[in-house]
Amino acid sequence: MTTWLGGPIGYYARLSASRWSPLAVVILVTTAMFVIGVIQKAPCHIEGWPRETGYAFSRLCYSDVAYLYRERGFAQGSIAYLDSGNYPALEYPVLTGLVMQITAWVTQAFGNGAAVAESVLFFDLTVVVLFLFALLAVWSLSRIAPHRPYDAMFFAAAPTLALAGTINWDLVAVALTACALLTWSRSRPFATGVLIGLGAAAKFYPLLLLGPLLVLALRSGKLRLWGVTMLSASAAWLAVNLPLIVLAQDSWKVFWSFNTGRDGDFGSIWYVLKLAEHPVPGVNAVSLGLFALACLGIASLAILAPRRPRLASLVFLTVAAFLLVNKVYSPQYVLWLLPFVALARPRWRDWAVWQVGELIYWVAIWLHLAGILAPANDAPDRLYWAAVGIRIAATLYLCAVVVRDILVPSADVVRERGLVDDPTGGPFDQAADARWCRRLLGARRPGRPPLQEGVTP
């Protein structure tokens, strides 16, 4: 709502007030966190991200960005996926590779030809690109729930945004996913599908949104809308990937072969078990099987809950389950959950518990890689094991409170006092349960329960 003031100064007072709108505040906080993140990376920036000494690990300023410019052919002027040389093929999805390639061309246009200096310039330009995607994400989040515009602050003010935002290009997919949630909240399934497909062309995880959307479509009897979303997501993903599938299929396959062939790696419970000399055989199948069981449990929860769960809650649980059992947990993966936490559980206490767990792990992974945490006699690095356990416990805590919100809707802060159903729900918002679901639950009154007596929306 706009407040109009009369008199000669009314116009200027209104403009002054608009400068401090919730969106302006959130953007300022996002900017501040990015500045903090750049300052935190300053030691590596000054030294040009040396590889040999482990300097970046010990100074806690590691980023993939500068290294990949020098070590994936960009410094030689090679084109990602299409050229090859004495360097590994690019192990990233196509849209991420395209962002890297365009940034590399700009770097070379203004660079001096020195690989180290250009890699630093490449990092600087990448920071600008990622900052713009972060702004796109907070803009989308602030528009999803007009009655809670400051919920985007749970994304903007996250310390992990400052520390992990420029490690890799994950913010590209994060922003596209936030936009997909916004378009779905506006009941635009085709646009949502396109954004999910583009997000999946940058990182795999946005495809996970299709699962919760399917379950809620089943419960509300709106499968046609899910079909539109799924088909448009497939079309958008294919449109980005098809040129490389045709022109450079071997290079295109590297992302898939790299991830399927990967063993239990940094940050995962599987890596800790391997370090403890209890490796899990067939970790690919075990990880996938556990994720499938988790998805089955989330779907059952969504169908059997007394009230249809909110989309953000189910998406959070699905992505969190994927990260809990995945073969690797890179420090920047925390960014995947930031938008969903802001929408699913916007409570500062719960957010702080989770962020502390992530920060402990963020410090521990770099000190582990630098060899600082390991005892002098080469004994097991149990401090790192503990950090992984703390991170997992913090995520499980968030999962537990979100599950409680689903089972006890009155505890859901977004649905406070029963005045709001599902801001992210779009066509699911205020929708009645499908007839088969009402029969299953034995509900007398479909859809949303009645408002409290005496309360009007």
Side-chain angles (χ1 to χ4, degrees), residues 159-188:
T160 52
L161 176 63
L163 298 176
T166 56
I167 291 177
N168 206 285
W169 286 263
D170 294 64
L171 279 173
V172 177
V174 169
L176 291 169
T177 303
C179 290
L181 291 171
L182 174 61
T183 54
W184 185 266
S185 73
R186 300 295 188 266
S187 299
R188 297 175 182 172

Side-chain angles (χ1 to χ4, degrees), residues 419-453:
L419 301 180
V420 176
D421 182 28
D422 186 359
T424 54
F428 303 142
D429 187 35
Q430 307 288 356
D433 287 337
R435 183 178 300 175
W436 70 269
C437 189
R438 297 200 301 270
R439 289 176 177 172
L440 177 66
L441 297 175
R444 294 183 178 179
R445 188 178 189 275
R448 179 181 174 209
L451 295 173
Q452 300 173 12
E453 185 176 353

Side-chain angles (χ1 to χ4, degrees), residues 22 36 103 105 109 111 124 145 160 233 249 257 304 312-313 340 358 363 383 410 414-415 419 431 445:
I36 292 171
T103 311
W105 282 333
D124 294 339
T160 52
Q249 188 174 110
S257 59
L304 299 176
S313 301
F340 309 134
E358 291 287 349
V363 173
L383 287 176
S410 60
V414 176
R415 284 174 162 168
L419 301 180
R445 188 178 189 275

Side-chain angles (χ1 to χ4, degrees), residues 201-288:
K203 286 282 180 180
F204 168 80
Y205 86 92
L207 282 179
L208 298 177
L209 271 67
L210 292 173
L213 285 171
L214 173 60
V215 174
L216 293 177
L218 285 169
R219 176 155 181 169
S220 58
K222 297 180 182 292
L223 273 176
R224 186 186 66 82
L225 296 179
W226 181 84
V228 171
T229 305
M230 188 272 293
L231 290 175
S232 58
S234 302
W237 181 89
L238 190 61
V240 174
N241 283 268
L242 188 59
L244 278 186
I245 294 175
V246 174
L247 297 175
Q249 188 174 110
D250 291 339
S251 297
W252 176 80
K253 287 180 178 177
V254 169
F255 166 74
W256 304 98
S257 59
F258 174 77
N259 284 282
T260 54
R262 203 171 193 174
D263 200 2
D265 213 333
F266 298 120
S268 69
I269 187 63
W270 319 113
Y271 180 65
V272 170
L273 290 172
K274 185 167 63 175
L275 292 179
E277 299 183 354
H278 298 291
V280 176
V283 68
N284 275 303
V286 174
S287 173
L288 184 60

Side-chain angles (χ1 to χ4, degrees), residues 198-431:
L198 293 176
K203 286 282 180 180
F204 168 80
Y205 86 92
L207 282 179
L208 298 177
L209 271 67
L210 292 173
L213 285 171
L214 173 60
V215 174
L216 293 177
L218 285 169
R219 176 155 181 169
S220 58
K222 297 180 182 292
L223 273 176
R224 186 186 66 82
L225 296 179
W226 181 84
V228 171
T229 305
M230 188 272 293
L231 290 175
S232 58
S234 302
W237 181 89
L238 190 61
V240 174
N241 283 268
L242 188 59
L244 278 186
I245 294 175
V246 174
L247 297 175
Q249 188 174 110
D250 291 339
S251 297
W252 176 80
K253 287 180 178 177
V254 169
F255 166 74
W256 304 98
S257 59
F258 174 77
N259 284 282
T260 54
R262 203 171 193 174
D263 200 2
D265 213 333
F266 298 120
S268 69
I269 187 63
W270 319 113
Y271 180 65
V272 170
L273 290 172
K274 185 167 63 175
L275 292 179
E277 299 183 354
H278 298 291
V280 176
V283 68
N284 275 303
V286 174
S287 173
L288 184 60
L290 287 175
F291 179 59
L293 287 174
C295 289
L296 183 60
I298 294 168
S300 300
L301 175 68
I303 295 298
L304 299 176
R307 181 175 175 184
R308 174 182 34 77
R310 293 191 294 113
L311 174 62
S313 301
L314 292 187
V315 172
F316 166 76
L317 291 175
T318 303
V319 177
F322 177 78
L323 292 175
L324 285 169
V325 302
N326 195 31
K327 295 185 297 180
V328 62
Y329 185 83
S330 297
Q332 69 272 15
Y333 288 1
V334 64
L335 302 172
W336 299 7
L337 286 176
L338 279 177
F340 309 134
V341 173
L343 298 171
R345 186 61 186 172
R347 278 288 195 192
W348 288 110
R349 180 196 61 190
D350 301 329
W351 174 89
V353 169
W354 173 58
Q355 284 289 289
V356 168
E358 291 287 349
L359 290 173
I360 290 171
Y361 176 73
W362 184 87
V363 173
I365 179 59
W366 306 128
L367 298 183
H368 170 71
L369 290 171
I372 294 174
L373 289 182
N377 60 356
D378 294 329
D381 188 353
R382 289 190 172 87
L383 287 176
Y384 176 70
W385 302 1
V388 174
I390 290 171
R391 177 191 67 78
I392 291 174
T395 303
L396 287 173
Y397 168 77
L398 263 186
C399 291
V401 293
V402 171
V403 169
R404 183 200 60 187
D405 289 349
I406 293 173
L407 295 175
V408 186
S410 60
D412 189 336
V413 296
V414 176
R415 284 174 162 168
E416 189 176 4
R417 298 178 65 198
L419 301 180
V420 176
D421 182 28
D422 186 359
T424 54
F428 303 142
D429 187 35
Q430 307 288 356

